[in-house]
Amino acid sequence: MDLVQKDLKYIWHPYTHQLNMAEPIFIKKGKGAKIFDEKNKAYIDAISSWWVNVHGHGNKYIAKQIFKQAKKLEHIIFAGFTHEPAIILAEKLLQLLQSDFSKIFYSDNGSTAVEVAIKMALQYWSNIGQPNRNKILAFNNSYHGDTFGAMSAGSRSIFNKAFDDKLFDVVFIDTPDGNNLAEIAELINRHDDIAAFIYEPLLQGAGGMQMHDAKPVGRLLSFLKEKDILCIADEVLTGFYRTGTLFASEVIDPKPDIICLSKALTGGTMALGVTACTQKIYDAFVNEDKTKTFYHGHSFTANPLACSAAIASITLLEDKKCIDTLKNLMIAIKNFSLYLVKNQSSFQKKIKNIRTCGTVLAFEVIGNDRDGYNNTSITDFTKHCLNSNVFLRPLGNTIYIMPPYCIKKKELKKVFNVIVSYLNH
């Protein structure tokens, strides 16, 4: 039995319909923007392996830093102990985040970073004597992860339908567009029990790469802060230049009280989550009453190898060469979006809502089904791309690209050409 057959026998893959599941492609190595199968066929990884791998595969600098750390300390319980990578990374992140952030809480992925933020916000109000403020506010079409708190804070969808009756109630609002702020404010004013608002700034990823403007969101945040509602920015996807700036929250005022980070945090090499908060929130947990302690943790909290990978990734992001590459990537993506707009009427497949945000481009293919994950109009898209040595995986009928920052010009051009060839076939 070869390895792929063993995979089919023993492994349950995520987000994959199991009945008549296609054989997974066996990947033996990766280098730069490419991954290679067992026959050495190369594929351009144009979605950064689920949006995490910003420096490409097999980055030697990050690997070297992980190796150096592995020879010293691979892991240690983070209750009662500490270590250099965790301290250096926390200091570095707080410098980069600026604003009023003062404390870093480590976890191990995006969902848990969100879970920490939600628990932190709810317990904050309990600790200061207002336990009745226990409701979460969130955007429609949102996705924050697959643990129960994160699922609850996300829109009800195909992802969490089986658990609907187990999820806690959330107040959902539309994303502000400048015209609906009064309506949103009226809805919020009906609730005096809102503890916190969680949002994906600028870009709702898993919800279909939906993009929204900074200014209306800023006006919403100002309104919420006037009501003393804590604001949680889920930057698991948007952090580390995905939307054009180091953090999406940089272009939105006011700033959040809590921010969640993961994915590109380690350059896509290892699992690590971060939840940063302001001193005001932290102070509510500093009390002689032990019941006000934040009793939350993970076995691999602040794993030294993961922290070392994150420090290395940030070091690479700060290099002028990386910044210049990022700028050129965003220009190329914007130019391709303009090409799509100019030529959309000539494509055999009809498309709509062409949009870009930093290093992300997305649009919908118009089919007989409604938009979303249940849309079956482009089930052949990934296969078409793989046949042309490009890996792209749509979100329902939403085609998008989110390449690693190291992608070469000729590789990016090939990605563009494959998309165009699909639209014309």
Side-chain angles (χ1 to χ4, degrees):
M1 186 183 295
D2 65 19
L3 287 174
V4 171
Q5 291 305 309
K6 287 184 178 181
D7 175 286
L8 292 171
K9 183 177 180 180
Y10 301 129
I11 297 177
W12 191 341
H13 288 265
Y15 286 100
T16 303
H17 186 61
Q18 296 299 298
L19 184 64
N20 301 321
M21 185 184 81
E23 286 190 357
I25 298 171
F26 184 90
I27 298 299
K28 67 175 183 179
K29 66 177 182 180
K31 184 176 182 181
K34 292 181 177 178
I35 49 178
F36 298 83
D37 68 15
E38 57 187 336
K39 296 180 181 177
N40 217 36
K41 181 179 179 180
Y43 306 90
I44 299 170
D45 183 1
I47 62 167
S48 303
S49 287
W50 253 341
W51 323 339
V52 301
N53 196 303
V54 293
H55 301 297
H57 299 275
N59 185 279
K60 292 183 179 179
Y61 177 71
I62 297 178
K64 182 179 179 181
Q65 299 308 308
I66 294 172
F67 178 64
K68 284 172 63 177
Q69 181 59 42
K71 292 191 294 183
K72 294 190 292 185
L73 177 67
E74 78 298 331
H75 189 61
I76 184 67
I77 179 176
F78 208 59
F81 292 94
T82 192
H83 53 80
E84 185 178 20
I87 297 166
I88 291 175
L89 177 59
E91 181 181 34
K92 187 68 176 174
L93 286 172
L94 291 173
Q95 290 171 347
L96 294 174
L97 288 166
Q98 298 178 355
S99 190
D100 295 325
F101 293 110
S102 67
K103 292 290 181 179
I104 295 291
F105 194 100
Y106 288 110
S107 58
D108 51 13
N109 61 62
S111 289
T112 55
V114 167
E115 204 82 14
V116 168
I118 292 171
K119 290 177 68 175
M120 198 179 277
L122 293 175
Q123 190 175 341
Y124 165 84
W125 289 109
S126 177
N127 281 5
I128 66 170
Q130 298 186 51
N132 59 305
R133 295 193 70 161
N134 55 18
K135 190 81 76 178
I136 299 296
L137 179 73
F139 281 146
N140 286 316
N141 202 54
S142 59
Y143 171 86
H144 296 288
D146 293 331
T147 51
F148 266 85
M151 277 198 298
S152 295
S155 287
R156 305 303 179 252
S157 68
I158 190 173
F159 292 150
N160 50 44
K161 184 175 177 58
F163 315 106
D164 273 357
D165 62 336
K166 305 295 189 299
L167 305 180
F168 59 72
D169 290 336
V170 170
V171 178
F172 288 105
I173 57 174
D174 290 334
T175 52
D177 57 16
N179 299 316
N180 62 355
L181 280 167
E183 181 182 336
I184 292 171
E186 183 182 350
L187 191 156
I188 294 170
N189 282 332
R190 294 179 206 153
H191 300 270
D192 58 5
D193 56 354
I194 296 175
F197 168 57
I198 185 167
Y199 62 104
E200 300 162 89
L202 302 186
L203 174 67
Q204 292 181 297
M209 298 298 159
Q210 301 302 317
M211 302 171 188
H212 43 270
D213 294 332
K215 287 185 178 179
V217 175
R219 289 198 287 271
L220 173 61
L221 295 183
S222 294
F223 170 74
L224 294 173
K225 282 182 176 287
E226 287 175 5
K227 299 179 73 65
D228 209 18
I229 294 172
L230 300 178
C231 297
I232 304 170
D234 177 355
E235 294 228 31
V236 169
L237 166 60
T238 58
F240 304 102
Y241 292 109
R242 266 300 168 205
T243 63
T245 53
L246 183 56
F247 302 105
S249 295
E250 288 182 21
V251 299
I252 304 174
D253 285 312
K255 305 306 178 193
D257 304 287
I258 300 173
I259 193 167
C260 307
L261 305 172
S262 190
K263 290 195 183 292
L265 173 62
T266 65
T269 59
M270 300 190 74
L272 182 65
V274 157
T275 307
C277 72
T278 61
Q279 189 69 34
K280 168 189 169 183
I281 293 172
Y282 174 75
D283 285 345
F285 294 81
V286 182
N287 197 288
E288 290 183 3
D289 182 353
K290 288 188 177 182
T291 65
K292 295 186 176 181
T293 300
F294 191 51
Y295 288 112
H296 187 101
H298 302 266
S299 298
F300 288 94
T301 294
N303 176 258
L305 302 179
C307 289
S308 296
I311 295 166
S313 178
I314 292 170
T315 300
L316 292 174
L317 286 173
E318 292 177 324
D319 187 85
K320 184 180 182 299
K321 183 178 178 182
C322 182
I323 299 298
D324 291 342
T325 300
L326 262 167
K327 289 178 181 177
N328 291 332
L329 174 60
M330 288 187 282
I331 290 170
I333 286 174
K334 186 65 177 178
N335 287 339
F336 181 56
S337 75
L338 295 174
Y339 167 83
L340 291 176
V341 170
K342 183 179 179 180
N343 294 278
Q344 61 181 320
S345 61
S346 65
F347 296 138
Q348 188 168 336
K349 290 182 175 63
K350 300 306 175 186
I351 62 175
K352 65 178 181 179
N353 197 17
I354 301 159
R355 56 200 183 274
T356 61
C357 184
T359 67
V360 183
L361 175 142
F363 60 88
E364 277 73 48
V365 176
I366 303 172
N368 296 325
D369 300 338
R370 63 181 182 177
D371 294 347
Y373 279 87
N374 283 324
N375 188 295
T376 59
S377 59
I378 58 170
T379 53
D380 61 337
F381 175 68
T382 295
K383 184 177 180 180
H384 172 90
C385 295
L386 289 172
N387 288 338
S388 299
N389 301 85
V390 170
F391 174 56
L392 286 167
R393 179 185 170 103
L395 298 166
N397 65 321
T398 300
I399 289 176
Y400 74 94
I401 60 173
M402 195 185 297
Y405 305 156
C406 66
I407 191 169
K408 297 175 182 177
K409 286 183 180 179
K410 62 180 181 180
E411 294 170 338
L412 189 59
K413 185 177 180 180
K414 183 175 180 63
V415 173
F416 294 158
N417 289 340
V418 168
I419 291 173
V420 171
S421 71
Y422 177 76
L423 297 178
N424 281 323
H425 109 178

